[in-house]
Amino acid sequence: MSDDFNTPVTVDPRLLEVLICPVTRGRLTYDRERNELISVGAKLAFPIREGVPIMLVEDARSLED
């Protein structure tokens, strides 16, 4: 049986180049350790689930904690 579902998924670097913060419209940085996209301007961290960036403010983690 394949372990495709258990293999960690990485984000396509080309996708990271075109994504912007939905709040500030600024650049995002990739935190590989936490698997998040960071918006310094908005002070938010957007999760990446199964290789898909979740760009919803409601699902973002505040960096002010």
Side-chain angles (χ1 to χ4, degrees), residues 37-57:
L37 294 174
I38 307 296
S39 171
V40 175
K43 297 181 182 170
L44 294 172
F46 297 93
I48 300 171
R49 297 185 188 129
E50 298 179 18
V52 179
I54 309 300
M55 304 305 296
L56 300 171
V57 175

Side-chain angles (χ1 to χ4, degrees), residues 13-56:
R14 294 173 295 189
L15 181 61
L16 295 176
E17 291 176 11
V18 297
L19 285 175
I20 60 171
C21 174
V23 176
T24 65
R25 304 283 187 224
R27 293 184 67 93
L28 298 165
T29 56
Y30 178 49
D31 182 342
R32 186 180 313 270
E33 187 175 302
R34 289 184 152 222
N35 203 32
E36 297 175 325
L37 294 174
I38 307 296
S39 171
V40 175
K43 297 181 182 170
L44 294 172
F46 297 93
I48 300 171
R49 297 185 188 129
E50 298 179 18
V52 179
I54 309 300
M55 304 305 296
L56 300 171

